[in-house]
Short mmCIF file of all heavy atoms in Angstrom, two decimals:
data_model
loop_
_atom_site.label_atom_id
_atom_site.label_comp_id
_atom_site.label_asym_id
_atom_site.label_seq_id
_atom_site.Cartn_x
_atom_site.Cartn_y
_atom_site.Cartn_z
N LYS A 28 9.38 31.58 11.24
CA LYS A 28 10.00 30.75 12.27
C LYS A 28 11.39 31.29 12.54
O LYS A 28 12.08 31.76 11.64
CB LYS A 28 10.09 29.29 11.77
CG LYS A 28 10.63 28.32 12.75
CD LYS A 28 9.61 27.96 13.79
CE LYS A 28 10.17 26.92 14.73
NZ LYS A 28 9.32 26.64 15.84
N SER A 29 11.81 31.21 13.79
CA SER A 29 13.13 31.66 14.19
C SER A 29 13.86 30.50 14.86
O SER A 29 13.27 29.74 15.61
CB SER A 29 13.00 32.83 15.18
OG SER A 29 14.26 33.22 15.64
N PHE A 30 15.16 30.37 14.56
CA PHE A 30 16.00 29.35 15.16
C PHE A 30 17.20 30.03 15.80
O PHE A 30 17.81 30.92 15.22
CB PHE A 30 16.51 28.36 14.10
CG PHE A 30 15.42 27.59 13.44
CD1 PHE A 30 14.88 28.01 12.23
CD2 PHE A 30 14.91 26.44 14.02
CE1 PHE A 30 13.87 27.31 11.62
CE2 PHE A 30 13.90 25.72 13.41
CZ PHE A 30 13.37 26.17 12.21
N MET A 31 17.55 29.60 17.00
CA MET A 31 18.74 30.09 17.69
C MET A 31 19.79 28.97 17.66
O MET A 31 19.43 27.80 17.77
CB MET A 31 18.41 30.42 19.15
CG MET A 31 17.37 31.50 19.32
SD MET A 31 17.90 33.12 18.76
CE MET A 31 19.26 33.44 19.85
N PHE A 32 21.06 29.34 17.51
CA PHE A 32 22.11 28.35 17.51
C PHE A 32 23.38 28.96 18.05
O PHE A 32 23.53 30.18 18.09
CB PHE A 32 22.33 27.75 16.12
CG PHE A 32 22.38 28.76 15.02
CD1 PHE A 32 23.59 29.27 14.61
CD2 PHE A 32 21.22 29.21 14.41
CE1 PHE A 32 23.64 30.22 13.62
CE2 PHE A 32 21.27 30.16 13.42
CZ PHE A 32 22.49 30.67 13.01
N GLY A 33 24.29 28.11 18.48
CA GLY A 33 25.49 28.55 19.16
C GLY A 33 26.63 28.93 18.23
O GLY A 33 26.63 28.59 17.06
N TYR A 34 27.62 29.61 18.79
CA TYR A 34 28.76 30.10 18.02
C TYR A 34 29.74 29.00 17.64
O TYR A 34 30.63 29.21 16.83
CB TYR A 34 29.48 31.21 18.79
CG TYR A 34 30.25 30.73 19.99
CD1 TYR A 34 31.58 30.38 19.89
CD2 TYR A 34 29.62 30.61 21.23
CE1 TYR A 34 32.29 29.94 20.99
CE2 TYR A 34 30.31 30.17 22.32
CZ TYR A 34 31.65 29.83 22.20
OH TYR A 34 32.34 29.38 23.29
N LEU A 35 29.60 27.80 18.20
CA LEU A 35 30.53 26.73 17.86
C LEU A 35 30.29 26.17 16.47
O LEU A 35 31.18 25.58 15.87
CB LEU A 35 30.44 25.61 18.90
CG LEU A 35 30.88 26.01 20.31
CD1 LEU A 35 30.67 24.87 21.28
CD2 LEU A 35 32.32 26.48 20.32
N THR A 36 29.09 26.32 15.97
CA THR A 36 28.79 25.86 14.62
C THR A 36 29.16 26.95 13.62
O THR A 36 29.03 28.14 13.91
CB THR A 36 27.29 25.48 14.50
OG1 THR A 36 27.05 24.89 13.24
CG2 THR A 36 26.38 26.67 14.64
N ASP A 37 29.64 26.57 12.47
CA ASP A 37 29.96 27.52 11.41
C ASP A 37 28.72 27.66 10.52
O ASP A 37 28.73 27.34 9.34
CB ASP A 37 31.17 27.02 10.63
CG ASP A 37 31.84 28.10 9.80
OD1 ASP A 37 31.39 29.27 9.84
OD2 ASP A 37 32.81 27.78 9.11
N ALA A 38 27.64 28.14 11.13
CA ALA A 38 26.31 28.11 10.53
C ALA A 38 26.23 28.81 9.18
O ALA A 38 25.65 28.26 8.24
CB ALA A 38 25.29 28.70 11.50
N LEU A 39 26.77 30.00 9.08
CA LEU A 39 26.65 30.72 7.81
C LEU A 39 27.39 29.99 6.69
O LEU A 39 26.88 29.86 5.58
CB LEU A 39 27.13 32.16 7.96
CG LEU A 39 26.92 33.06 6.75
CD1 LEU A 39 25.47 33.07 6.29
CD2 LEU A 39 27.40 34.48 7.06
N ALA A 40 28.57 29.48 6.99
CA ALA A 40 29.30 28.70 5.98
C ALA A 40 28.52 27.44 5.61
O ALA A 40 28.40 27.11 4.42
CB ALA A 40 30.69 28.33 6.48
N ASP A 41 27.97 26.76 6.61
CA ASP A 41 27.19 25.55 6.32
C ASP A 41 25.98 25.87 5.45
O ASP A 41 25.65 25.13 4.52
CB ASP A 41 26.73 24.90 7.62
CG ASP A 41 27.88 24.33 8.44
OD1 ASP A 41 28.96 24.07 7.86
OD2 ASP A 41 27.71 24.14 9.65
N LEU A 42 25.32 26.99 5.73
CA LEU A 42 24.17 27.40 4.93
C LEU A 42 24.58 27.70 3.50
O LEU A 42 23.97 27.21 2.54
CB LEU A 42 23.51 28.63 5.57
CG LEU A 42 22.35 29.25 4.82
CD1 LEU A 42 21.18 28.28 4.73
CD2 LEU A 42 21.92 30.55 5.49
N LEU A 43 25.63 28.49 3.32
CA LEU A 43 26.07 28.86 1.97
C LEU A 43 26.52 27.64 1.18
O LEU A 43 26.12 27.46 0.02
CB LEU A 43 27.18 29.90 2.04
CG LEU A 43 26.76 31.28 2.57
CD1 LEU A 43 27.97 32.15 2.83
CD2 LEU A 43 25.80 31.96 1.61
N PHE A 44 27.35 26.79 1.79
CA PHE A 44 27.82 25.62 1.06
C PHE A 44 26.70 24.61 0.84
O PHE A 44 26.67 23.90 -0.18
CB PHE A 44 29.03 24.99 1.75
CG PHE A 44 30.30 25.77 1.53
CD1 PHE A 44 30.94 26.37 2.60
CD2 PHE A 44 30.82 25.93 0.26
CE1 PHE A 44 32.10 27.11 2.40
CE2 PHE A 44 31.98 26.68 0.05
CZ PHE A 44 32.62 27.27 1.12
N GLY A 45 25.75 24.52 1.77
CA GLY A 45 24.58 23.67 1.56
C GLY A 45 23.78 24.13 0.35
O GLY A 45 23.30 23.31 -0.45
N MET A 46 23.64 25.43 0.20
CA MET A 46 22.90 25.96 -0.96
C MET A 46 23.64 25.71 -2.26
O MET A 46 23.01 25.50 -3.29
CB MET A 46 22.65 27.47 -0.77
CG MET A 46 21.70 27.82 0.33
SD MET A 46 20.01 27.28 -0.07
CE MET A 46 19.37 27.10 1.58
N THR A 47 24.98 25.72 -2.23
CA THR A 47 25.71 25.43 -3.47
C THR A 47 25.42 24.02 -3.96
O THR A 47 25.44 23.76 -5.16
CB THR A 47 27.24 25.62 -3.33
OG1 THR A 47 27.75 24.68 -2.39
CG2 THR A 47 27.61 27.03 -2.93
N GLY A 48 25.11 23.11 -3.03
CA GLY A 48 24.77 21.74 -3.41
C GLY A 48 23.52 21.64 -4.26
O GLY A 48 23.31 20.65 -4.96
N LEU A 49 22.69 22.68 -4.24
CA LEU A 49 21.48 22.68 -5.07
C LEU A 49 21.79 22.74 -6.56
O LEU A 49 20.91 22.52 -7.39
CB LEU A 49 20.57 23.87 -4.69
CG LEU A 49 19.99 23.82 -3.29
CD1 LEU A 49 19.24 25.11 -2.97
CD2 LEU A 49 19.08 22.61 -3.13
N TYR A 50 23.03 23.03 -6.89
CA TYR A 50 23.44 23.10 -8.29
C TYR A 50 24.20 21.85 -8.73
O TYR A 50 24.67 21.78 -9.85
CB TYR A 50 24.31 24.35 -8.51
CG TYR A 50 23.54 25.61 -8.23
CD1 TYR A 50 23.58 26.21 -6.98
CD2 TYR A 50 22.75 26.19 -9.22
CE1 TYR A 50 22.85 27.36 -6.72
CE2 TYR A 50 22.03 27.33 -8.96
CZ TYR A 50 22.07 27.91 -7.70
OH TYR A 50 21.34 29.04 -7.44
N GLY A 51 24.30 20.87 -7.85
CA GLY A 51 25.03 19.65 -8.15
C GLY A 51 24.10 18.52 -8.61
O GLY A 51 22.92 18.71 -8.87
N GLN A 52 24.66 17.33 -8.62
CA GLN A 52 23.93 16.17 -9.14
C GLN A 52 22.98 15.53 -8.13
O GLN A 52 22.08 14.82 -8.49
CB GLN A 52 24.92 15.12 -9.63
CG GLN A 52 25.79 14.54 -8.53
CD GLN A 52 26.80 13.55 -9.06
OE1 GLN A 52 26.81 13.23 -10.23
NE2 GLN A 52 27.65 13.07 -8.18
N TRP A 53 23.21 15.78 -6.84
CA TRP A 53 22.40 15.13 -5.81
C TRP A 53 21.05 15.83 -5.65
O TRP A 53 20.96 17.04 -5.71
CB TRP A 53 23.13 15.10 -4.47
CG TRP A 53 24.48 14.46 -4.58
CD1 TRP A 53 25.69 15.09 -4.49
CD2 TRP A 53 24.77 13.10 -4.85
NE1 TRP A 53 26.71 14.19 -4.68
CE2 TRP A 53 26.17 12.95 -4.90
CE3 TRP A 53 23.98 11.97 -5.06
CZ2 TRP A 53 26.79 11.75 -5.15
CZ3 TRP A 53 24.61 10.76 -5.31
CH2 TRP A 53 25.99 10.66 -5.36
N ARG A 54 20.02 15.06 -5.42
CA ARG A 54 18.67 15.60 -5.25
C ARG A 54 18.39 16.06 -3.83
O ARG A 54 17.43 16.78 -3.58
CB ARG A 54 17.62 14.55 -5.64
CG ARG A 54 17.59 14.26 -7.11
CD ARG A 54 17.00 15.42 -7.82
NE ARG A 54 16.83 15.13 -9.23
CZ ARG A 54 16.48 16.02 -10.10
NH1 ARG A 54 16.26 17.25 -9.74
NH2 ARG A 54 16.36 15.71 -11.36
N THR A 55 19.24 15.66 -2.86
CA THR A 55 19.03 16.05 -1.47
C THR A 55 20.34 16.52 -0.86
O THR A 55 21.38 15.89 -1.05
CB THR A 55 18.48 14.86 -0.65
OG1 THR A 55 17.27 14.41 -1.26
CG2 THR A 55 18.19 15.28 0.78
N GLU A 56 20.28 17.64 -0.16
CA GLU A 56 21.41 18.18 0.58
C GLU A 56 21.00 18.29 2.04
O GLU A 56 19.85 18.63 2.34
CB GLU A 56 21.77 19.59 0.08
CG GLU A 56 22.36 19.64 -1.29
CD GLU A 56 23.73 18.99 -1.37
OE1 GLU A 56 24.54 19.17 -0.43
OE2 GLU A 56 23.99 18.31 -2.36
N ARG A 57 21.94 18.01 2.94
CA ARG A 57 21.68 18.12 4.37
C ARG A 57 22.85 18.83 5.05
O ARG A 57 24.00 18.61 4.69
CB ARG A 57 21.53 16.75 5.02
CG ARG A 57 20.25 16.05 4.72
CD ARG A 57 20.19 14.69 5.43
NE ARG A 57 18.92 14.06 5.19
CZ ARG A 57 18.58 13.44 4.07
NH1 ARG A 57 19.45 13.36 3.08
NH2 ARG A 57 17.39 12.90 3.93
N PHE A 58 22.53 19.65 6.02
CA PHE A 58 23.54 20.24 6.91
C PHE A 58 22.82 20.58 8.20
O PHE A 58 21.59 20.51 8.28
CB PHE A 58 24.22 21.47 6.27
CG PHE A 58 23.28 22.56 5.87
CD1 PHE A 58 22.99 23.60 6.74
CD2 PHE A 58 22.70 22.56 4.62
CE1 PHE A 58 22.14 24.62 6.37
CE2 PHE A 58 21.84 23.58 4.23
CZ PHE A 58 21.56 24.60 5.12
N PHE A 59 23.59 20.90 9.23
CA PHE A 59 22.93 21.18 10.51
C PHE A 59 23.61 22.33 11.24
O PHE A 59 24.76 22.67 10.97
CB PHE A 59 22.92 19.94 11.40
CG PHE A 59 24.25 19.59 12.01
CD1 PHE A 59 24.59 20.03 13.27
CD2 PHE A 59 25.15 18.82 11.30
CE1 PHE A 59 25.83 19.73 13.82
CE2 PHE A 59 26.38 18.49 11.84
CZ PHE A 59 26.73 18.95 13.11
N PHE A 60 22.86 22.92 12.15
CA PHE A 60 23.36 23.92 13.07
C PHE A 60 23.36 23.31 14.46
O PHE A 60 22.43 22.60 14.84
CB PHE A 60 22.46 25.16 13.11
CG PHE A 60 22.38 25.94 11.81
CD1 PHE A 60 21.38 26.89 11.67
CD2 PHE A 60 23.26 25.76 10.76
CE1 PHE A 60 21.27 27.62 10.52
CE2 PHE A 60 23.16 26.50 9.59
CZ PHE A 60 22.16 27.44 9.48
N ASP A 61 24.39 23.60 15.22
CA ASP A 61 24.49 23.15 16.61
C ASP A 61 23.78 24.17 17.48
O ASP A 61 24.22 25.30 17.62
CB ASP A 61 25.97 23.05 16.98
CG ASP A 61 26.21 22.63 18.42
OD1 ASP A 61 25.25 22.60 19.22
OD2 ASP A 61 27.37 22.35 18.76
N ALA A 62 22.66 23.77 18.07
CA ALA A 62 21.88 24.66 18.94
C ALA A 62 22.11 24.27 20.40
O ALA A 62 21.19 24.22 21.20
CB ALA A 62 20.41 24.61 18.57
N VAL A 63 23.35 23.98 20.73
CA VAL A 63 23.78 23.62 22.08
C VAL A 63 22.97 22.43 22.60
O VAL A 63 21.95 22.59 23.24
CB VAL A 63 23.73 24.82 23.05
CG1 VAL A 63 24.35 24.45 24.39
CG2 VAL A 63 24.44 26.01 22.45
N THR A 64 23.39 21.27 22.28
CA THR A 64 22.84 19.94 22.55
C THR A 64 21.71 19.54 21.61
O THR A 64 21.34 18.39 21.57
CB THR A 64 22.36 19.74 24.02
OG1 THR A 64 21.16 20.46 24.24
CG2 THR A 64 23.44 20.14 25.01
N THR A 65 21.18 20.48 20.85
CA THR A 65 20.10 20.19 19.91
C THR A 65 20.62 20.38 18.49
O THR A 65 21.36 21.31 18.22
CB THR A 65 18.90 21.14 20.15
OG1 THR A 65 18.45 20.98 21.49
CG2 THR A 65 17.76 20.86 19.20
N GLU A 66 20.22 19.50 17.60
CA GLU A 66 20.58 19.62 16.19
C GLU A 66 19.43 20.27 15.43
O GLU A 66 18.29 19.83 15.53
CB GLU A 66 20.88 18.24 15.59
CG GLU A 66 21.15 18.30 14.10
CD GLU A 66 21.25 16.93 13.44
OE1 GLU A 66 21.31 15.91 14.15
OE2 GLU A 66 21.26 16.89 12.20
N ILE A 67 19.74 21.32 14.66
CA ILE A 67 18.78 21.92 13.74
C ILE A 67 19.21 21.46 12.34
O ILE A 67 20.16 21.97 11.77
CB ILE A 67 18.79 23.47 13.82
CG1 ILE A 67 18.58 23.96 15.25
CG2 ILE A 67 17.75 24.05 12.86
CD1 ILE A 67 17.26 23.60 15.86
N ARG A 68 18.52 20.46 11.83
CA ARG A 68 18.90 19.82 10.56
C ARG A 68 18.11 20.42 9.40
O ARG A 68 16.89 20.41 9.39
CB ARG A 68 18.65 18.32 10.62
CG ARG A 68 19.11 17.60 9.35
CD ARG A 68 18.86 16.12 9.42
NE ARG A 68 19.57 15.52 10.55
CZ ARG A 68 19.41 14.25 10.91
NH1 ARG A 68 18.57 13.47 10.25
NH2 ARG A 68 20.09 13.78 11.93
N TRP A 69 18.83 20.91 8.42
CA TRP A 69 18.24 21.44 7.20
C TRP A 69 18.29 20.35 6.13
O TRP A 69 19.35 19.75 5.90
CB TRP A 69 19.05 22.63 6.71
CG TRP A 69 18.99 23.84 7.58
CD1 TRP A 69 19.40 23.92 8.89
CD2 TRP A 69 18.53 25.13 7.22
NE1 TRP A 69 19.21 25.19 9.34
CE2 TRP A 69 18.69 25.96 8.34
CE3 TRP A 69 18.01 25.67 6.05
CZ2 TRP A 69 18.33 27.30 8.33
CZ3 TRP A 69 17.67 27.01 6.04
CH2 TRP A 69 17.81 27.80 7.16
N VAL A 70 17.18 20.12 5.47
CA VAL A 70 17.10 19.15 4.39
C VAL A 70 16.56 19.89 3.17
O VAL A 70 15.45 20.44 3.21
CB VAL A 70 16.18 17.95 4.74
CG1 VAL A 70 16.16 16.95 3.59
CG2 VAL A 70 16.64 17.29 6.04
N LEU A 71 17.35 19.93 2.11
CA LEU A 71 16.98 20.59 0.87
C LEU A 71 16.77 19.49 -0.17
O LEU A 71 17.72 18.81 -0.55
CB LEU A 71 18.09 21.54 0.41
CG LEU A 71 18.59 22.55 1.43
CD1 LEU A 71 19.86 23.21 0.95
CD2 LEU A 71 17.52 23.57 1.71
N ARG A 72 15.54 19.32 -0.60
CA ARG A 72 15.22 18.27 -1.58
C ARG A 72 14.74 18.92 -2.86
O ARG A 72 13.90 19.81 -2.84
CB ARG A 72 14.14 17.35 -1.03
CG ARG A 72 13.91 16.11 -1.88
CD ARG A 72 12.88 15.18 -1.26
NE ARG A 72 11.62 15.80 -0.96
CZ ARG A 72 10.66 16.07 -1.86
NH1 ARG A 72 10.84 15.77 -3.12
NH2 ARG A 72 9.54 16.65 -1.48
N ARG A 73 15.32 18.47 -3.98
CA ARG A 73 14.93 19.01 -5.29
C ARG A 73 14.07 17.99 -6.01
O ARG A 73 14.58 17.01 -6.56
CB ARG A 73 16.17 19.29 -6.13
CG ARG A 73 16.99 20.45 -5.62
CD ARG A 73 18.14 20.79 -6.54
NE ARG A 73 19.01 19.63 -6.75
CZ ARG A 73 19.60 19.33 -7.90
NH1 ARG A 73 19.44 20.08 -8.96
NH2 ARG A 73 20.37 18.28 -8.00
#
């Protein structure tokens, strides 16, 4: 699957910091990419 998103979102930082949450106490992490009026929401559940 491929997703396109705009330059206004700090997508790579959101992805990296979202992944760091996998080492914390919470069982679910969420972050999103701004795809110009559309939200691409990532949900990481452990």
Side-chain angles (χ1 to χ4, degrees):
K28 183 76 177 173
S29 176
F30 297 95
M31 299 293 297
F32 46 94
Y34 71 92
L35 295 176
T36 187
D37 198 1
L39 186 54
D41 293 339
L42 176 64
L43 292 170
F44 285 116
M46 292 292 154
T47 64
L49 294 174
Y50 298 93
Q52 65 183 356
W53 305 110
R54 291 288 185 188
T55 303
E56 291 293 320
R57 286 181 177 77
F58 57 92
F59 74 94
F60 295 166
D61 178 349
V63 187
T64 73
T65 302
E66 175 188 350
I67 306 297
R68 183 180 300 173
W69 292 61
V70 181
L71 308 168
R72 189 177 54 79
R73 291 185 304 142

